[in-house]
Amino acid sequence: MKEQEMLPSCLYSLGREIAEGGHSTVNICQHLESRIDFAVKILAGEEVVAFDQEVCLLKKLQDIEGPFIKMVDLFRAKGKNYIVMDLAPGGDVWTWVRNRSYLTEGAMIKVVHQLLQALAICHENGIVHRDVKPENIVIEEVRSDEPSKVLLCDFGSALDIGPDGCILTDDSMPGTLGYQAPEIFRESGSLEYGSGVDMWALGISAYFMITGDMPFDLGGSVEDYLEACDQFPAICCSDAVDIFLRCCLAPNPAQRWTAREALEYHIFEGLPEFTESPEKKKSRDINKMWYKPSALPEPMSAEEGEEGEEGEET
């Protein structure tokens, strides 16, 4: 019988990989005592700054009820950083659309309504996500063979800029190609951008959900992309959804809807506010965690990590 692989904390067993990013992987893990499944994001030891930044932002949202992933535990060991989080069993929206089918307008509206609530909370707490996309929208519940409850995840690119803050354009190009707002592409240091980049990315994501495609051509130069962003493509959808998409995808961020403004649009009338299930809260109570960076050990060097592994084998 294959021996169960353990996480360094000895509280969880490590399961299969379910996602991979530029500097991290996400696996299923199981809390040994309760047998409850969670997700664990694993970052390399040298990503300590990114780890601390993401954890601090998640901690800021930890006690606010909203449709975003919550932390359960965190630790640093064997040259790696670990964030244990809620597990959304339905996978992500990108995989759903690619492997099954695009969403009906009704299902998309319900999903986007929840994401708008998540973004409104983030923005009002000074957090810009900067990487909203279907891969970072995970499905918690499915009803009538369509996603009915979703969560915003992966705050690895997010920044805390304060309620009225802005970010100066630089060469880092945050986000994912195809979901980046036009203002991000301006000359480095020439323009500030803010939470409007999340609304642009949400508009692109909503378009993808109901078409399975991207609204703007990515094959040319940056100049071609920016020109395409000024010409919203024709789409077979209701007039109400068309207006919503255009208001999210206004090239001028000053004319783009905010999350709170979008929530007032009539297509979202009568939809319920997000509420977290008692079961989810109970599962997270397994580990009441308070993040204290000073309490975390320093990441080991590569040499130290190799020595530790050799010691375990002997």
Side-chain angles (χ1 to χ4, degrees):
M1 183 176 177
K2 185 178 179 181
E3 186 176 349
Q4 198 172 33
E5 187 175 358
M6 303 289 292
L7 288 179
S9 72
C10 297
L11 295 175
Y12 309 90
S13 61
L14 185 65
R16 63 183 175 86
E17 182 180 305
I18 55 176
E20 182 178 6
H23 303 283
S24 64
T25 59
V26 179
N27 288 58
I28 293 176
C29 67
Q30 187 176 83
H31 186 258
L32 295 176
E33 184 177 346
S34 67
R35 315 304 292 179
I36 295 175
D37 289 337
F38 295 101
V40 57
K41 184 173 184 177
I42 306 172
L43 297 90
E46 61 268 20
E47 297 296 325
V48 62
V49 174
F51 173 75
D52 285 352
Q53 178 173 294
E54 182 170 1
V55 167
C56 284
L57 294 177
L58 290 171
K59 181 64 178 71
K60 190 172 183 178
L61 298 171
Q62 188 73 8
D63 297 325
I64 303 174
E65 186 166 27
F68 32 75
I69 286 290
K70 299 288 187 72
M71 284 190 298
V72 175
D73 200 356
L74 63 93
F75 46 92
R76 183 178 295 146
K78 295 187 177 181
K80 294 182 179 180
N81 304 291
Y82 301 83
I83 305 175
V84 181
M85 304 171 287
D86 293 332
L87 175 67
D92 63 78
V93 168
W94 188 91
T95 302
W96 179 283
V97 171
R98 283 296 185 221
N99 292 349
R100 301 178 67 130
S101 67
Y102 49 78
L103 306 188
T104 63
E105 277 194 13
M108 180 275 287
I109 288 170
K110 291 177 182 177
V111 167
V112 168
H113 180 247
Q114 295 168 70
L115 296 171
L116 285 170
Q117 292 176 67
L119 290 178
I121 292 169
C122 288
H123 297 166
E124 287 161 5
N125 282 274
I127 297 172
V128 181
H129 187 280
R130 301 204 305 170
D131 200 18
V132 176
K133 58 182 179 180
E135 293 94 323
N136 288 338
I137 304 165
V138 290
I139 303 167
E140 190 171 38
E141 290 181 8
V142 175
R143 292 181 183 175
S144 302
D145 204 33
E146 287 193 307
S148 62
K149 196 169 188 177
V150 299
L151 302 171
L152 181 64
C153 70
D154 194 352
F155 284 74
S157 297
L159 285 180
D160 187 344
I161 63 172
D164 301 313
C166 289
I167 308 161
L168 195 65
T169 53
D170 56 24
D171 296 324
S172 63
M173 300 297 289
T176 300
L177 186 64
Y179 299 90
Q180 294 160 315
E183 57 265 31
I184 292 176
F185 290 90
R186 308 304 181 192
E187 183 180 351
S188 179
S190 66
L191 187 71
E192 293 177 336
Y193 67 88
S195 58
V197 299
D198 288 344
M199 290 303 296
W200 176 276
L202 178 62
I204 299 287
S205 299
Y207 185 100
F208 173 82
M209 290 179 208
I210 57 174
T211 66
D213 205 353
M214 303 293 282
F216 305 117
D217 183 18
L218 305 177
S221 64
V222 169
E223 290 74 18
D224 292 336
Y225 175 72
L226 293 176
E227 184 177 343
C229 290
D230 288 325
Q231 302 170 10
F232 188 79
I235 177 176
C236 184
C237 66
S238 66
D239 290 343
V241 168
D242 184 80
I243 291 171
F244 170 76
L245 293 174
R246 290 176 185 274
C247 290
C248 289
L249 297 174
N252 183 346
Q255 298 174 349
R256 206 174 296 153
W257 274 351
T258 66
R260 281 295 173 202
E261 288 171 342
L263 282 168
E264 296 298 318
Y265 191 45
H266 69 84
I267 62 174
F268 303 116
E269 287 180 5
L271 293 179
E273 292 292 311
F274 175 86
T275 55
E276 191 172 41
S277 68
E279 293 79 12
K280 184 69 71 175
K281 291 180 181 178
K282 184 178 179 181
S283 70
R284 201 161 50 244
D285 282 343
I286 291 169
N287 291 305
K288 281 292 185 182
M289 174 275 305
W290 299 100
Y291 177 53
K292 297 178 181 178
S294 60
L296 289 171
E298 290 299 316
M300 292 187 294
S301 66
E303 292 78 10
E304 289 174 324
E306 290 172 2
E307 289 174 5
E309 290 173 4
E310 290 173 2
E312 290 173 359
E313 291 174 0
T314 57

